[in-house]
Amino acid sequence: MKKPFVSLERLQAITQQYPTPFHLYDEKGIRENARRLKAAFAWNPGFKEYFAVKATPTPAILKLLHEEGCGVDCSSLTELMLSDRCGFSGSEIMFSSNETPAEEFELAARLGATINLDDFTHIDFLRETLGYIPETISCRFNPGGVFQLGESKEGFQVMDTPGDSKYGFTRPQLFEGFKKLKELGAKRFGIHAFLASNTISNDYYPALAGILFQLAADLQKETGCKVAFINLSGGVGIPYRPDQPENDIAVIGEGVRRQFEEILVPAGMGDVSIFTELGRFMLGPYGCLVTKAVHFKHTYKEYVGVDACAANLMRPAMYGAYHHITVMGKEDRPLDHVYDVVGSLCENNDKFAVDRPLPEIELGDLLVIHDAGAHGFSMGYNYNGKLRSAEVLLEEDGSTRLIRRAETPEDYFSTMVFD
């Protein structure tokens, strides 16, 4: 059973100050999770987590993670600007972009970010843009084909198709690219890859590490390039459903360490730093969307209308993704009603839940939609003229702080030209 990180009484008090809907984040949970990750990879002296800014581009959250020793992974001009304004600099910033405009490479270079190239043709583009190749450079690897991880002890099977992905170098391109980059002045090299998304398996990261560690050993041996770091990227998931097991980051870290000892150490590469680039794992469970039941509809189905909509949390509408819902104050009541929980967009996919067993919902009940801390607010939009909601931080001492105000109609109209 998923439990909210906030009580009904505390939430009722919060809603007196901040009208629903809003996104609420748990500072205590975020900090504790960041420390668990750091401890799991403490065996690697150069380890660093580069939080994926796209998951939760909120200054207060980024600054909190900075305090916990995290860097940031950026993929756009404004994400670079945001990270700079939040105090990240130099090697604390990883820039992983694709189809990249010249101005974005220029800003990344000015900030001293580590540039992670997505394509072989970008080598010449980067050199033409900057007039040089940075001494530290990274390249993204795509092995092609299908990545499959057999059923693990958690009972979860991982399958994804890198061959259908638009990202990364092929293996031959990577070897040729490293040689070319070295000739152009690069001295320290990194490898990055992302093969599967939201895996509920302690085996994924070690399996990926084995692939990348062997690749790094082969690259260094054949090209003479010094591989300084290997970025395992993201893909470590969270259990959106209450019956799914949680990943154990300590077990995952130990699995990566074993691959490191078996592959890199014998190759004389025991000084390679391990980087991660987690978004969902870092923030997902520690944020929720708080909304209120405002309407009921009794037609061919039973509908509960809430004051949030897909513009506040797109994943269910876009992917059919499951997000658990708690009716606050009714956690222990029987799930003896079946509802579609819907928003007010003029789109039939604006549904947070379909045929969901829940306790009886009454007008004014507060609903917590779980696991919205990553790829929640950040994917919001203004369709139907909907306004983005506020973001609120539940601080470690139990107090709350507004970390993003709700949009107003004035914000919505501010970019429009009526003349």
Side-chain angles (χ1 to χ4, degrees), residues 98-365:
N98 67 95
E99 312 309 327
T100 309
E103 64 176 345
E104 298 190 3
F105 277 141
E106 289 169 349
L107 179 57
R110 284 201 303 273
L111 296 177
T114 299
I115 293 174
N116 184 32
L117 292 174
D118 180 66
D119 183 64
F120 182 83
T121 64
H122 292 182
I123 296 173
D124 285 338
F125 183 75
L126 181 65
R127 181 182 58 171
E128 292 163 5
T129 298
L130 301 181
Y132 65 94
I133 289 294
E135 290 191 357
T136 298
I137 197 78
S138 180
C139 295
R140 185 167 184 168
F141 173 57
N142 184 332
V146 175
F147 174 80
Q148 187 167 354
L149 189 65
E151 188 167 312
S152 68
K153 62 186 178 183
E154 291 89 356
F156 185 84
Q157 187 178 56
V158 175
M159 181 181 291
D160 218 327
T161 53
D164 287 337
S165 170
K166 69 175 182 175
Y167 306 110
F169 291 59
T170 67
R171 183 181 173 97
Q173 287 174 339
L174 198 61
F175 280 77
E176 186 179 351
F178 268 44
K179 292 174 184 176
K180 183 171 183 175
L181 287 162
K182 184 181 180 183
E183 291 172 359
L184 294 172
K187 296 179 179 178
R188 299 176 70 254
F189 293 80
I191 305 170
H192 170 286
F194 179 90
L195 302 187
S197 179
N198 195 41
T199 62
I200 308 298
S201 169
N202 292 332
D203 300 327
Y204 168 63
Y205 246 20
L208 172 62
I211 293 169
L212 294 186
F213 293 171
Q214 188 59 59
L215 175 64
D218 294 344
L219 276 164
Q220 185 158 304
K221 181 179 179 180
E222 182 173 324
T223 68
C225 296
K226 170 62 179 177
V227 178
F229 59 89
I230 296 172
N231 189 335
L232 300 177
S233 68
V236 177
I238 61 171
Y240 283 99
R241 295 179 180 271
D243 57 346
Q244 290 178 311
E246 291 185 15
N247 284 324
D248 188 330
I249 198 62
V251 172
I252 291 170
E254 175 60 18
V256 174
R257 185 195 65 78
R258 286 197 298 269
Q259 296 280 27
F260 190 94
E261 296 288 340
E262 291 174 8
I263 300 171
L264 290 183
V265 171
M269 300 172 66
D271 59 344
V272 170
S273 296
I274 303 301
F275 297 161
T276 56
E277 187 185 288
L278 301 171
R280 194 190 318 262
F281 177 82
M282 295 296 290
L283 261 295
Y286 310 107
C288 62
L289 175 60
V290 180
T291 185
K292 184 182 294 184
V294 294
H295 285 289
F296 297 96
K297 185 172 184 176
H298 317 286
T299 54
Y300 305 104
K301 304 180 77 171
E302 292 296 306
Y303 293 95
V304 176
V306 295
D307 58 6
C309 66
N312 306 112
L313 180 61
M314 185 194 291
R315 294 185 74 255
M318 186 174 185
Y319 303 119
Y322 180 96
H323 279 260
H324 197 65
I325 297 175
T326 294
V327 183
M328 296 300 290
K330 300 181 179 180
E331 295 88 343
D332 298 324
R333 295 191 188 180
L335 309 180
D336 53 3
H337 287 64
V338 177
Y339 298 107
D340 281 14
V341 180
V342 302
S344 59
L345 288 185
C346 295
E347 295 292 338
N348 196 44
N349 67 351
D350 183 19
K351 299 176 180 180
F352 293 113
V354 176
D355 297 330
R356 182 74 59 87
L358 290 167
E360 183 177 10
I361 297 174
E362 299 169 273
L363 198 67
D365 277 349

Side-chain angles (χ1 to χ4, degrees), residues 22-132:
F22 57 83
H23 287 261
L24 183 67
Y25 301 93
D26 176 20
E27 179 184 4
K28 183 173 184 289
I30 294 169
R31 290 190 183 276
E32 289 176 349
N33 195 45
R35 292 167 189 173
R36 281 193 295 270
L37 173 65
K38 189 174 181 179
F41 286 88
W43 54 267
N44 183 261
F47 172 76
K48 196 169 189 68
E49 154 64 13
Y50 288 84
F51 175 71
V53 174
K54 64 179 176 286
T56 315
T58 303
I61 299 296
L62 297 179
K63 290 178 180 179
L64 186 162
L65 291 172
H66 195 204
E67 291 172 6
E68 295 297 332
C70 297
V72 282
D73 176 77
C74 301
S75 57
S76 71
L77 185 75
T78 47
E79 288 184 356
L80 285 168
M81 295 170 68
L82 173 61
S83 298
D84 179 42
R85 293 182 64 173
C86 288
F88 295 89
S89 62
S91 62
E92 294 177 325
I93 305 172
M94 186 74 63
F95 182 57
S96 302
S97 181
N98 67 95
E99 312 309 327
T100 309
E103 64 176 345
E104 298 190 3
F105 277 141
E106 289 169 349
L107 179 57
R110 284 201 303 273
L111 296 177
T114 299
I115 293 174
N116 184 32
L117 292 174
D118 180 66
D119 183 64
F120 182 83
T121 64
H122 292 182
I123 296 173
D124 285 338
F125 183 75
L126 181 65
R127 181 182 58 171
E128 292 163 5
T129 298
L130 301 181
Y132 65 94

